[in-house]
Amino acid sequence: MRRAERLWGAAVLQLLLAARVVAAFEPISVGITIGAVSLLTGYLSYKDIYCRFSECCREEQPLNASALKLDLEEKLFGQHVATEVILKALTGFKNNKNPKKPLTLSLHGWAGTGKNFVSQIVAENLHPKGLKSNFVHLFVSTLHFPHEQKIKLYQDQLQKWIRGNVSACASSVFIFDEMDKLHPGIIDAIKPFLDYYEQVDGVSYRKAIFIFLSNAGGDLITKTALDFWRAGKKREDIQLKDLEPVLSVGVFNNKHSGLWHSGLIDRNLIDYFIPFLPLEYRHVKMCVQAEMRARGSAIDEDIVTRVAEEMTFFPKDEKIYSDKGCKTVQSRLDFH
């Protein structure tokens, strides 16, 4: 009996290995192999086995909120508001089996405060391959939409790209970087996809996620942070309600925000305007330590201090916040 079980297990293993080998060559052969394994095992579906060898869109896969929380708390520094809002927004959205619209987040703050890093963390927690996933799409304004005279072309291309990818995977993620450099009007092309429609031309966008990254509003966020500091209040006392209304109005009226007079704001289609606070000296040191750990280096506090002290801080008198956040930490660490 045991011998028979061993032979059966070996047969299944050989078929699985065969599927892996032929996966790069011929999908029909893969299908036949997977079908054979399914018959042998009696419980593995075609999709279950296929997805072991090729990336699949798992629309119903729940979000591991604990893993996301841990990533945000351990890798993102000085951003208590962003951490809380992103965790709650994503958890609530993914737990909702029938959302009424896509989740749309707009992340604001100066360069180096963690916006791109957070979008990477979010992507990795939604699709294992992160930014390399076939279901995560990154648009960079200066790269993909450089010419003001081609706005109509960009709008058409953007609609087709999003429609095609959501048709292939309902839980696709779209990240728009450098929104503050996006020509006004381009982003409004996707307004129908973000609205409360069950379907648009036969496609449902309700399970997709859209993330906007922008430096616009950084001055408003810094002013609020400074007001708290000068009033003797803790940074951690700043809440979303202290910044979100100011951000939405400020971005709407800013000609260089990418969302100037946008219907996305006018129709309240952006679910959260999330502020990224300017980083203090202590947060820069945390970034240096994290980078050293990522490189497999022992934490040398002397080096950590030297790198942090090389950064420049503002305002001129108080020198509280790093003017580049943690953006140049990697390159500066290379010199030590």
Side-chain angles (χ1 to χ4, degrees):
M1 182 66 181
R2 289 180 180 176
R3 175 179 170 79
E5 288 177 353
R6 285 198 298 271
L7 290 172
W8 175 84
V12 171
L13 179 59
Q14 286 178 349
L15 283 168
L16 287 174
L17 289 173
R20 190 164 194 169
V21 169
V22 301
F25 300 101
E26 213 249 297
I28 295 176
S29 300
V30 176
I32 294 172
T33 305
I34 290 175
V37 174
S38 299
L39 288 173
L40 281 171
T41 60
Y43 63 86
L44 287 175
S45 70
Y46 177 96
K47 185 174 182 180
D48 287 335
I49 300 176
Y50 179 81
C51 292
R52 294 187 182 186
F53 308 108
S54 181
E55 186 184 21
C56 289
C57 175
R58 297 184 178 273
E59 297 174 13
E60 305 304 325
Q61 183 170 324
L63 174 72
N64 187 337
S66 298
L68 175 60
K69 183 174 185 290
L70 189 64
D71 277 348
L72 291 171
E73 289 178 347
E74 290 189 349
K75 299 176 182 178
L76 183 66
F77 309 118
Q79 305 298 352
H80 65 282
V81 178
T83 295
E84 180 183 4
V85 176
I86 289 169
L87 182 61
K88 288 183 177 179
L90 281 171
T91 302
F93 180 74
K94 294 297 287 185
N95 286 341
N96 186 352
K97 300 297 182 184
N98 187 30
K100 300 301 180 185
K101 65 178 292 297
L103 177 63
T104 308
L105 307 175
S106 193
L107 282 50
H108 297 266
W110 294 129
T113 52
K115 302 184 301 296
N116 289 82
F117 191 46
V118 161
S119 68
Q120 178 182 329
I121 291 174
V122 168
E124 289 171 352
N125 278 270
L126 292 171
H127 296 284
K129 290 189 175 182
L131 294 178
K132 295 180 180 179
S133 169
N134 292 325
F135 313 119
V136 176
H137 311 280
L138 173 65
F139 299 96
V140 181
S141 296
T142 51
L143 175 64
H144 296 103
F145 316 109
H147 305 296
E148 188 173 7
Q149 65 270 26
K150 294 184 178 180
I151 288 179
K152 183 62 172 66
L153 173 64
Y154 296 149
Q155 289 176 325
D156 292 341
Q157 290 176 337
L158 193 54
Q159 285 187 343
K160 290 176 182 177
W161 179 261
I162 291 176
R163 184 183 298 114
N165 281 286
V166 173
S167 298
C169 179
S171 59
S172 292
V173 178
F174 301 93
I175 302 169
F176 292 81
D177 194 11
E178 297 184 348
M179 279 292 294
D180 48 298
K181 297 179 177 64
L182 185 67
H183 300 297
I186 291 179
I187 202 64
D188 278 78
I190 69 171
K191 177 180 170 292
F193 306 150
L194 306 189
D195 217 326
Y196 292 82
Y197 298 123
E198 186 170 344
Q199 289 188 345
V200 178
D201 294 332
V203 179
S204 174
Y205 297 86
R206 292 182 168 188
K207 292 186 178 181
I209 294 176
F210 294 81
I211 302 174
F212 304 138
L213 312 179
S214 178
N215 290 352
D219 53 340
L220 302 173
I221 296 168
T222 297
K223 182 181 182 303
T224 299
L226 269 174
D227 288 344
F228 269 72
W229 185 84
R230 287 167 177 164
K233 298 179 182 178
K234 294 180 180 179
R235 176 192 183 92
E236 289 71 25
D237 291 337
I238 299 174
Q239 299 179 38
L240 182 65
K241 66 181 181 180
D242 297 315
L243 281 163
E244 191 172 36
V246 178
L247 266 181
S248 61
V249 174
V251 171
F252 183 78
N253 291 319
N254 184 345
K255 289 186 177 181
H256 304 289
S257 70
L259 291 166
W260 180 61
H261 290 185
S262 172
L264 275 60
I265 298 178
D266 203 34
R267 286 274 298 161
N268 296 310
L269 298 181
I270 296 178
D271 298 295
Y272 296 97
F273 289 86
I274 303 176
F276 279 66
L277 304 174
L279 299 181
E280 300 174 8
Y281 176 79
R282 58 190 169 116
H283 303 128
V284 174
K285 293 185 71 174
M286 292 177 184
C287 290
V288 179
Q289 291 167 345
E291 178 61 23
M292 294 179 80
R293 282 193 293 270
R295 297 183 181 192
S297 304
I299 304 300
D300 186 324
E301 290 300 334
D302 288 337
I303 293 178
V304 170
T305 300
R306 287 204 299 271
V307 172
E309 288 180 348
E310 288 174 2
M311 309 292 276
T312 53
F313 293 81
F314 72 96
K316 184 177 180 180
D317 296 329
E318 293 99 334
K319 294 185 179 179
I320 308 166
Y321 305 119
S322 169
D323 63 356
K324 294 180 181 177
C326 286
K327 199 173 185 69
T328 60
V329 162
Q330 290 184 355
S331 58
R332 289 180 181 273
L333 191 56
D334 290 338
F335 287 97
H336 295 275

